[in-house]
Amino acid sequence: MGPLKGLRVVEFAGLGPAPFAAMMLADGGADVVRVDRPGAERTGGILDRGRTAVGLDLKSGDGLARARELIDAADVLIEGFRPGVMERLGLGPQVCLDLNPRLVYGRMTGWGQTGPLAAKAGHDINYLALTGALRAIARRGQAPVPPLNLVGDYGGGGMLLAFGVLAALRERDATGRGQVVDAAMIDGVSLLMSGIWQRVADGRWQPEPGTNDIDTGAPFYDVYETADGEYVAVGSMEPQFYDRLVRALGLDPVQLPDQWDRTSWPATKKLFAGIFAGRTRDEWAETFAPLDACVTPVLSMAEASADPHLMARATLRTRAGRVEPGPGPRFSLTTEGEA
């Protein structure tokens, strides 16, 4: 079931972002077939869920013929190889679109299909580095911190590809023609930085990392260590939330500097840090639970799987003895468990 029921997708096995995009389409109800190397067929991992797998030797005549049969019957093709690999296999966009003019051909790379770096290797951290995103994710005077591989591979990669595929399908509804979707992680990361680029354009962003309102520069948007070595996350940016934060810390807002006085931020952060260090994380969680102040405990992954709110929404689910994220987003016409 799901809103994508009836959509036929052929996925050529790869790593990271392309399988994530295929997983999202499968979660939405699409019929996804993954083409693997013979003997490497896998469907048991979280990123592999919701689809079948077939092993094909694409360097053999029979394997290539079978792949073309799948493509001829498909609505979407997804691949995540370096530029030129599918062409060398005899399954490039021109060949496939000649075979199936309605095909949406989704290509997932880090650097894109064109440009000086198109043929080079790279990973999430490299794409973030070149786009300026990585340098901005740092505390003042400290080295940048890679945000796992969430921003390039998944947010700026797999989700961008899934969006591009669905957009191309929408155009196909109007024109009857398929097309190539060039989803590049450098493009996706840059898109995710739109809000920061807007701050730069408005003159509201300082070039030194860790000195701005959402990069740990401000006392009202940071992570504070507690007495038990755990942490709480503070996002009390709006004035009403900041007022509740300050009062919950036992301080008088009138006696503090203006919230947006950047010159006072280091001293106020030090003050807040000292107070948060006086109690445990769970004690602070209890204090802030009845308050609408944008303050939450920082949970481990194991703790998150038992969080009452995440459990109520089945955001994290236990299947086959393991915890995994549930499908998203939710649809009003697709009942729970069908997507």
Side-chain angles (χ1 to χ4, degrees):
M1 294 293 290
L4 299 181
K5 182 181 179 181
L7 187 70
R8 293 164 297 182
V9 180
V10 177
E11 171 202 2
F12 285 82
L15 298 174
F20 181 68
M23 183 195 78
M24 291 189 67
L25 297 175
D27 284 348
D31 178 11
V32 183
V33 177
R34 160 182 259 160
V35 175
D36 263 312
R37 295 187 306 276
E41 301 94 332
R42 61 191 192 280
T43 57
I46 293 174
L47 289 175
D48 306 320
R49 72 185 181 198
R51 48 225 203 252
T52 57
V54 58
L56 296 178
D57 180 2
L58 297 177
K59 296 181 180 179
S60 73
D62 290 344
L64 192 60
R66 176 58 180 144
R68 287 177 174 170
E69 288 177 4
L70 291 171
I71 294 167
D72 185 37
D75 298 292
V76 177
L77 180 154
I78 287 177
E79 61 96 357
F81 304 123
R82 290 200 209 184
V85 171
M86 288 292 281
E87 284 84 348
R88 289 193 293 274
L89 289 171
L91 296 172
Q94 192 59 58
V95 170
C96 292
L97 285 167
D98 286 345
L99 181 68
N100 179 357
R102 291 176 55 82
L103 182 71
V104 171
Y105 195 112
R107 315 198 81 173
M108 181 78 259
T109 60
W111 304 116
Q113 296 295 320
T114 60
L117 298 178
K120 294 199 69 173
H123 284 293
D124 187 293
I125 192 171
N126 306 118
Y127 313 133
L128 268 64
L130 204 69
T131 55
L134 185 60
R135 187 67 186 93
I137 305 174
R139 292 186 175 276
R140 188 172 189 173
Q142 297 185 21
V145 177
L148 305 181
N149 65 333
L150 305 179
V151 178
D153 280 351
Y154 297 110
M159 283 192 178
L160 184 73
L161 176 59
F163 169 78
V165 163
L166 295 179
L169 286 169
R170 176 66 182 86
E171 183 170 358
R172 190 187 72 175
D173 288 342
T175 67
R177 299 195 306 271
Q179 62 181 301
V180 178
V181 178
D182 175 4
M185 281 178 260
I186 55 166
D187 298 343
V189 170
S190 296
L191 279 169
L192 293 174
M193 288 283 285
S194 294
I196 306 303
W197 282 112
Q198 184 63 60
R199 282 175 159 87
V200 172
D202 293 342
R204 296 185 293 116
W205 190 260
Q206 303 299 319
E208 183 180 1
T211 64
N212 296 284
D213 55 354
I214 58 171
D215 66 355
T216 74
F220 50 79
Y221 204 94
D222 204 352
V223 174
Y224 292 95
E225 187 172 2
T226 54
D228 52 349
E230 297 292 339
Y231 298 88
V232 293
V234 174
S236 310
M237 183 174 292
E238 291 78 6
Q240 68 273 27
F241 303 143
Y242 184 70
D243 182 80
R244 293 168 193 154
L245 164 70
V246 168
R247 294 182 186 279
L249 294 178
L251 300 171
D252 183 351
V254 177
Q255 296 180 352
L256 291 177
D258 180 79
Q259 178 186 350
W260 291 94
D261 176 9
R262 287 175 176 262
T263 63
S264 70
W265 283 358
T268 304
K269 285 185 66 173
K270 186 176 181 180
L271 174 64
F272 286 5
I275 296 173
F276 275 115
R279 298 169 65 183
T280 67
R281 181 198 68 180
D282 292 346
E283 287 173 336
W284 284 117
E286 184 176 355
T287 295
F288 283 100
L291 303 177
D292 202 11
C294 302
V295 178
T296 51
V298 176
L299 303 182
S300 67
M301 291 175 66
E303 290 172 321
S305 67
D307 177 75
H309 184 77
L310 300 185
M311 291 179 68
R313 285 185 56 81
T315 299
L316 295 172
R317 308 175 178 192
T318 300
R319 293 201 326 168
R322 70 181 177 216
V323 177
E324 64 180 64
R330 313 295 170 84
F331 299 95
S332 63
L333 296 181
T334 301
T335 59
E336 186 70 13
E338 289 183 338

